[in-house]
Amino acid sequence: MDAQTARAADAASYFLIESKGNWAGPNAGAFLLDAAALAEAGHRVRVFLVEDGVLSAVGTGTPEIERLAAAGVEILVDDFSAAQRALGATKLSPHVRLAGMDVAAAALTQDGCRGVWH
């Protein structure tokens, strides 16, 4: 087994849920940077922005959203949370896509998925 195959075998799947807005303090941005670091280490990472976390995806997004996208992280925005904040798809970063809680539930029930809610 070569090194790349070994890394792929050791890779974990993470589904990280961020519910805090950027103004909630340094931990909100740090959580997203942790997600990027996991992806850069070769793990499969999906981030689901809910509640005030959806505000991180407004416009061109924050530096954290840009880094997540560059690392290949799938970035999902809760459609209900976005609607409650009058954020349609056209107001969001091109790096994200709207998704429902059914997507989160399906991801969290996949074998081997590690879920973390912040």
Side-chain angles (χ1 to χ4, degrees):
M1 179 181 313
D2 64 17
Q4 185 175 9
T5 304
R7 274 195 308 275
D10 292 337
S13 176
Y14 292 90
F15 192 81
L16 306 177
I17 303 168
E18 175 60 271
S19 62
K20 300 179 185 322
N22 291 341
W23 65 88
N27 289 338
F31 184 75
L32 295 178
L33 293 177
D34 288 345
L38 285 167
E40 291 162 352
H43 300 287
R44 179 178 185 216
V45 179
R46 291 172 287 172
V47 170
F48 191 60
L49 302 172
V50 300
E51 299 171 357
D52 286 342
V54 301
L55 299 173
S56 296
V58 173
T60 57
T62 62
E64 294 86 1
I65 295 294
E66 295 298 320
R67 183 168 168 198
L68 288 170
V73 173
E74 181 180 10
I75 310 164
L76 306 169
V77 172
D78 175 43
D79 56 1
F80 179 80
S81 297
Q84 292 297 305
R85 288 155 182 81
L87 299 174
T90 59
K91 293 183 180 180
L92 298 174
S93 166
H95 302 298
V96 306
R97 74 176 175 93
L98 290 170
M101 279 294 173
D102 58 327
V103 172
L108 290 168
T109 58
Q110 288 180 342
D111 285 342
C113 179
R114 298 173 184 173
V116 180
W117 188 304
H118 180 251

